[in-house]
Amino acid sequence: MNKIFKAEILKNQALTEDVYCLSINVPFNIEAKPGQFFIIKINERFDPLLGRPFSIFDLEDKTLKFLYRVKGKGTSVLSKLREGQNLQITGPFGKWYPFPKDDYIVIAGGIGIASVFYLMKKFPKRAYLFYGARHRREIFYYKELEEVAKEVFISTECGTLDYKGVITELFRRKGLHLNLPIYSCGPMIMIRELKKLLKNKDVPCYVATEERMACGVGACLGCVIETKEGFKRVCTEGPVFEIGDLIL
Amino acid sequence: MNKIFKAEILKNQALTEDVYCLSINVPFNIEAKPGQFFIIKINERFDPLLGRPFSIFDLEDKTLKFLYRVKGKGTSVLSKLREGQNLQITGPFGKWYPFPKDDYIVIAGGIGIASVFYLMKKFPKRAYLFYGARHRREIFYYKELEEVAKEVFISTECGTLDYKGVITELFRRKGLHLNLPIYSCGPMIMIRELKKLLKNKDVPCYVATEERMACGVGACLGCVIETKEGFKRVCTEGPVFEIGDLIL
Amino acid sequence: MKPLLEVKIGELTLKNPVLTASGTFGYGLEYSQFFDISKLGGIVVKGLSLKPKEGNPPPRIYETPCGMINSIGLQNIGFDAFVKEKLPFLKKFDTKIIANFFGENLEEYEEIAQKLDATDGIHALEMNVSCPNKTSEWRKMGLQPELLKESVRKVRSKVKKTLIVKLSPQVTDIAYMAKICEEEGADAISLINTIPAMVIDVKTRKSLIGTLTGGLSGPAIRPIALRMVWEVAKAVKIPVIGIGGIVNGRDALEFFIAGAKAVAVGTANFINPLSSIEIIEEIEKFLIEEKIENINDLIGSLIE
Amino acid sequence: MKPLLEVKIGELTLKNPVLTASGTFGYGLEYSQFFDISKLGGIVVKGLSLKPKEGNPPPRIYETPCGMINSIGLQNIGFDAFVKEKLPFLKKFDTKIIANFFGENLEEYEEIAQKLDATDGIHALEMNVSCPNKTSEWRKMGLQPELLKESVRKVRSKVKKTLIVKLSPQVTDIAYMAKICEEEGADAISLINTIPAMVIDVKTRKSLIGTLTGGLSGPAIRPIALRMVWEVAKAVKIPVIGIGGIVNGRDALEFFIAGAKAVAVGTANFINPLSSIEIIEEIEKFLIEEKIENINDLIGSLIE
Ligand SMILES: Cc1cc2nc3c(=O)[nH]c(=O)nc-3n(C[C@H](O)[C@H](O)[C@H](O)COP(=O)(O)OP(=O)(O)OC[C@H]3O[C@@H](n4cnc5c(N)ncnc54)[C@H](O)[C@@H]3O)c2cc1C
Ligand SMILES: Cc1cc2nc3c(=O)[nH]c(=O)nc-3n(C[C@H](O)[C@H](O)[C@H](O)COP(=O)(O)OP(=O)(O)OC[C@H]3O[C@@H](n4cnc5c(N)ncnc54)[C@H](O)[C@@H]3O)c2cc1C
Ligand SMILES: Cc1cc2nc3c(=O)[nH]c(=O)nc-3n(C[C@H](O)[C@H](O)[C@H](O)COP(=O)(O)O)c2cc1C
Ligand SMILES: Cc1cc2nc3c(=O)[nH]c(=O)nc-3n(C[C@H](O)[C@H](O)[C@H](O)COP(=O)(O)O)c2cc1C
Ligand code: FES
Ligand code: FES
């Protein structure tokens, strides 16, 4: 498979002030699995220099979608690109979420939803989704989520939608008793909390992690995180890890 | 007057493969004279780093136009910008063409036409225009030129339009006898040839020169060219110089 | 509440810690068309010598990735013309004027320093020991510990005003060079000057700079400058002025945290003529957000 | 007619003058998913030591304007694992394998060099005397003429294969360091390694690199690298391998014109995995356009 290609921007839509959905047209059929990521080179010149990694948010035929938040220079430049412009894409890279055999739990915090939507779409109507955000404005694609998930639990920190509080708390109340494998993606604070909650439970819990990347293919050793077995590369040994292996 | 402002791109139109006409919307009324230039910062980040200088091609109400050729990294990035995007502009800077009192001669080579169109528009129907290009494709705005000039003489190097040859040769044949002040802009080879032709003549000849620039305001001393009185800054003591003062 | 921005560099009090770097801000005049230069902490003027200098043959500048190379060759109008033609204008502004200077040999260094010291309206002196252009050995004294030691001592003995020594980055151990200056009585260290660099036109096979090599400046060199400022600030007790690729408030703040007591904005003036005052505003905004009442509390606050 | 691209570095013949730089191309495997790595002139593998190394704590990389800082800390799988797990794969390709190596002290340098010298499938050795990360004095021998002299002599006396010494840019006079290596029997010089640099998070007031400082690479440093390659190529007779910020054919050509006999592509591999082979194609195209039949005719052709 060709792992480097040019793709045309079909749409680069602002969902809120700082969250965008980017749709691109891939020139051939690609096979990519939930949890994997692509690297987008944002401009032709060298500032920003490196491509930026983004999870597959959705893939259907030749339309590949990313959901991203503007954080710094790369995403800021990306957010200003328009329909018709071209991007250099490499990927897919990384370990995917092990396929769920039966029902499963998904826990997403904030923009972490970008990494798990495609999983639920591929394995539909079997996920208990716990999705937390700061505000209801930041709950994206609610309708689509209801379609692909089995059940949806939403929390917002300011209480503007459903449960008021953090998503791990809602999960503790409504999901912890379910003995199902867990798939999760979200901020480090959420992952740490989750690890605590699961201390005495014996279900597999897969976490999609993030680290700054240069090569994306395991060559630069730049993206390591600490695991029980020493440093591991997020780009190739991850981004999906078993929560128990991570030293958080 | 505010010499630094943001302007919106109204149009960035390809005239040939590598020549574009950029129209921008200036947020207030500016006073700028033929021969002066503006500096366009092409992107928000730092590669390209410096703004690029461009002559005023046309100015009407709040619409400012530039005619430019894609030469390197800056102009290449510029050519890909679209309607609606914003640019940081500084200017106008530099010495303008001394206003013609009566009839005058204009000699433009290639993209040099960008620097003299506005002059003819401001002082219409008095210019004998000699305009040379490589090919008829590269003769821009022919109709508009016929309107603002008194008489138009065209040469193309491949003979696809009017006279076949270089413009200085056509000028020698058809314009050298006229004892009128000359305004010219074009490649160095044209300017050198012109200087030779005018050796024994006593008419003023103003040339718009080019040098790489950093500040555009006389502070960095980067843009000097050699003159009879030593190095002079193109950005502030030029870009328009008397041809006799230049050491070519 | 407005945070306090005042800092002291030797005897010199700056109302805010943002200067414009030598050679990038002309003699002030050039930028006064854009904003009120009284808002600046200070202006470091283009390097001055006793006699006027023609400078190097063009081409003198070329752009590189996130940087630029220059080889101006210290063109300047000379001490006399500066005092007559430029200083009266500069005196009208409520900001500090720092005179950057150099000579072809040590005697010239001493002489121009003395003259500047005696000139009203000049508040401090910056001794350039680090010009990277084709040049005499003396102008490069910043590369040789022995020469540096002798020069700083001699110049110091001749001047009363605050003496800043501007170091070259082209050394293995910049902290060592800074300590030499401190020992010999410099009141402050400024760094970095540009880094010797080159760019070639592959078609003509010539350098794109008239003098073959020039000095690299701009955002490209910022991480190098920051590292050096940090090394120097840890090594000396005198104030450090951070220079190199600063284009916005965030960049400037990095230098303060690394230990710089003031910063000078160079190439950024070319990219956006308002850079220096926007940087002052951004620093102020940051201090307010972070509830830091005095910029001096931020200086050297890096958590290692 | 296809121009000749073959160059010689000591005893080593490269079919074309484009290598991939140590630490930026893994062990080859990682990039073989993108293109046929047999097309490369050679591959310089990630720095090897006798024993495996864990490397530095994250965060290890940060992007800067047109560059990046890294502090990998020479993490590597160690000599034994390299020979067992990686070399068999690399041997399958028709390209030259250059082993970059280092040690914690001179004895370790000698020992690993000897082992690599005796290993089939390794065509040349690159001695890294210039690691900019937090490190033992020995790994930084590239900054001290006396240490460098001794180390190159000792290592040279132990190995038969082509020995390349990779220099640090963090010196005042890089040509002098190169001459030392030449005198002590190095077959070639490669330069530059990364430049020590820093970047700070202004909110947390911590370095964005786990080890505080790291090494700057990428287009930002190219003009500095080019100047140094030119200085070294003029000073020594042995071949020079140019490294630093090369991202396209034009960049590579600048280094050849400045005197480099080969180039190594580093950070560019991260920006575009196909960089190295696109560079080969662009060099070829340029030679055809300029009617240069042999790349060796271009090398050192700068008109001063
Ligand atoms: C495997 C993977 C998948 C990802 N998927 C998504 C996604 O689907 N949607 C999304 O919005 N974001 C995703 N991210 C995070 C995204 O890559 C970063 O937000 C982005 O690279 C920031 O670039 P920037 O230039 O805007 O920020 P910078 O200016 O580079 O930095 C701004 C801030 O972002 C942090 N940052 C920079 N790069 C990364 C990175 N690679 N990972 C985490 N933090 C970083 C920096 O530490 C800094 O605090 C993913 C990251 C990884 C590693
Ligand atoms: C006062 C002035 C007015 C100008 N007006 C126009 C105009 O109306 N239309 C137009 O097409 N061009 C004009 N130019 C030239 C234009 O500025 C350059 O072509 C442009 O800056 C090239 O930028 P780049 O990044 O594409 O090229 P780079 O990648 O920087 O360089 C490519 C080539 O262009 C040359 N170049 C770079 N900068 C300049 C410069 N400032 N002047 C001349 N050559 C340069 C370089 O030497 C190199 O050979 C003018 C230049 C000046 C000084
Ligand atoms: C065009 C130009 C001219 C300069 N002239 C001088 C000078 O005369 N004296 C001096 O000490 N430094 C001079 N410098 C160096 C700057 O003051 C500054 O140290 C350097 O550019 C790094 O800062 P920057 O990256 O912010 O530009 C000059 C720099 C530039 C770009
Ligand atoms: C992530 C990374 C790891 C590196 N590891 C090594 C190494 O192990 N040994 C070495 O000699 N150089 C190492 N280098 C330096 C490169 O080989 C090269 O000299 C430097 O990056 C400059 O080239 P560039 O700008 O093209 O990247 C490394 C560079 C990077 C960016
Ligand atoms: S990003 Fe290079 S090893 Fe992971
Ligand atoms: S561009 Fe700076 S002096 Fe002319």
Side-chain angles (χ1 to χ4, degrees), chain C residues 66 170 172 200 205 254 303, chain D residues 66 170 200 205 254 303:
Chain C
C66 290
Q170 206 192 342
T172 300
I200 292 172
R205 301 205 209 155
E254 288 189 57
I303 298 165
Chain D
C66 291
Q170 206 191 341
I200 293 171
R205 302 205 209 156
E254 288 189 57
I303 300 166

Side-chain angles (χ1 to χ4, degrees), chain A residues 212-224 233-236, chain D residues 61 270:
Chain A
R212 280 180 231 132
M213 292 185 177
C215 71
V217 297
C220 74
L221 309 178
C223 65
V224 297
R233 293 163 297 182
V234 168
C235 67
T236 35
Chain D
I61 50 176
F270 308 154

Side-chain angles (χ1 to χ4, degrees), chain D residues 182-242:
Chain D
E182 182 179 39
E183 275 163 25
E184 296 305 334
D187 297 306
I189 302 291
S190 62
L191 72 157
I192 61 175
N193 212 315
T194 56
I195 306 177
M198 191 171 191
V199 57
I200 293 171
D201 183 331
V202 299
K203 292 269 179 194
T204 63
R205 302 205 209 156
K206 286 187 187 162
S207 169
L208 283 154
I209 294 290
T211 48
L212 283 175
T213 63
L216 185 65
S217 66
I221 67 167
R222 177 163 48 79
I224 302 171
L226 183 68
R227 186 261 305 172
M228 290 190 167
V229 164
W230 172 67
E231 287 175 351
V232 167
K234 284 198 304 181
V236 299
K237 291 196 187 64
I238 53 177
V240 174
I241 300 170

Side-chain angles (χ1 to χ4, degrees), chain B residues 26-47:
Chain B
V26 181
F28 45 79
N29 283 315
I30 47 173
E31 207 200 311
K33 303 194 181 73
Q36 288 193 301
F37 64 95
F38 286 86
I39 292 187
I40 304 182
K41 174 78 179 106
I42 284 151
N43 59 336
E44 279 171 54
R45 295 216 44 87
F46 308 112
D47 183 32

Side-chain angles (χ1 to χ4, degrees), chain D residues 111-294:
Chain D
E111 198 179 333
I112 175 110
Q114 261 176 307
K115 284 194 170 190
L116 291 166
D117 198 48
T119 304
D120 202 47
I122 291 173
H123 304 99
L125 311 182
E126 184 179 58
M127 177 171 167
N128 181 4
V129 297
S130 48
C131 178
N133 304 148
K134 249 217 178 83
T135 187
S136 75
E137 275 313 294
W138 276 102
R139 281 202 219 158
K140 280 193 177 163
M141 60 179 80
L143 306 183
Q144 285 138 332
E146 291 311 314
L147 282 189
L148 183 64
K149 203 174 171 71
E150 186 186 346
S151 325
V152 176
R153 177 166 43 219
K154 290 234 167 112
V155 170
R156 169 76 288 176
S157 72
K158 298 279 165 56
V159 301
K160 289 199 192 61
K161 284 180 183 161
T162 295
L163 178 65
I164 304 159
V165 181
K166 183 164 180 184
L167 293 181
S168 164
Q170 206 191 341
V171 295
T172 301
D173 188 353
I174 191 134
Y176 177 67
M177 304 308 266
K179 275 191 281 188
I180 288 176
C181 300
E182 182 179 39
E183 275 163 25
E184 296 305 334
D187 297 306
I189 302 291
S190 62
L191 72 157
I192 61 175
N193 212 315
T194 56
I195 306 177
M198 191 171 191
V199 57
I200 293 171
D201 183 331
V202 299
K203 292 269 179 194
T204 63
R205 302 205 209 156
K206 286 187 187 162
S207 169
L208 283 154
I209 294 290
T211 48
L212 283 175
T213 63
L216 185 65
S217 66
I221 67 167
R222 177 163 48 79
I224 302 171
L226 183 68
R227 186 261 305 172
M228 290 190 167
V229 164
W230 172 67
E231 287 175 351
V232 167
K234 284 198 304 181
V236 299
K237 291 196 187 64
I238 53 177
V240 174
I241 300 170
I243 319 174
I246 297 171
V247 296
N248 59 38
R250 215 202 70 111
D251 296 345
L253 290 162
E254 288 189 57
F255 281 84
F256 293 123
I257 293 169
K261 209 150 184 198
V263 297
V265 177
T267 301
N269 295 306
F270 308 154
I271 306 171
N272 168 9
L274 305 180
S275 296
S276 51
I277 46 161
E278 287 177 4
I279 288 171
I280 300 171
E281 285 160 17
E282 285 161 27
I283 292 170
E284 206 158 35
K285 195 164 150 258
F286 175 86
L287 294 178
I288 291 169
E289 275 168 19
E290 298 283 310
K291 303 197 172 55
I292 300 170
E293 282 166 26
N294 189 327

Side-chain angles (χ1 to χ4, degrees), chain A residues 117 120-121 123-126 144-150:
Chain A
F117 177 78
M120 292 184 282
K121 189 167 162 181
F123 304 96
K125 292 287 173 205
R126 283 156 47 188
E144 289 81 353
L145 289 169
E146 287 217 300
E147 273 164 35
V148 297
K150 184 167 182 166

Side-chain angles (χ1 to χ4, degrees), chain A residues 3-4 41 46-50 52 73 88 90 93 212-215 217-222 224-225 230-231 233, chain D residues 23 26 30-31 33-34 54-64 66-67 72 75 208 219 247 270-273:
Chain A
K3 287 215 167 181
I4 172 163
K41 174 77 179 108
F46 309 113
D47 183 32
L49 180 75
L50 302 165
R52 298 292 192 267
K73 63 179 180 180
Q88 176 201 291
T90 44
F93 299 129
R212 280 180 231 132
M213 292 185 177
C215 71
V217 297
C220 74
L221 309 178
V224 297
I225 54 169
F231 294 134
R233 293 163 297 182
Chain D
E30 294 82 352
Y31 284 89
Q33 64 183 307
F34 296 110
E54 262 269 275
N56 290 334
R60 289 182 171 182
I61 50 176
Y62 204 79
E63 187 177 307
T64 65
C66 291
I72 308 301
Q75 174 179 343
L208 283 154
V247 296
F270 308 154
I271 306 171
N272 168 9

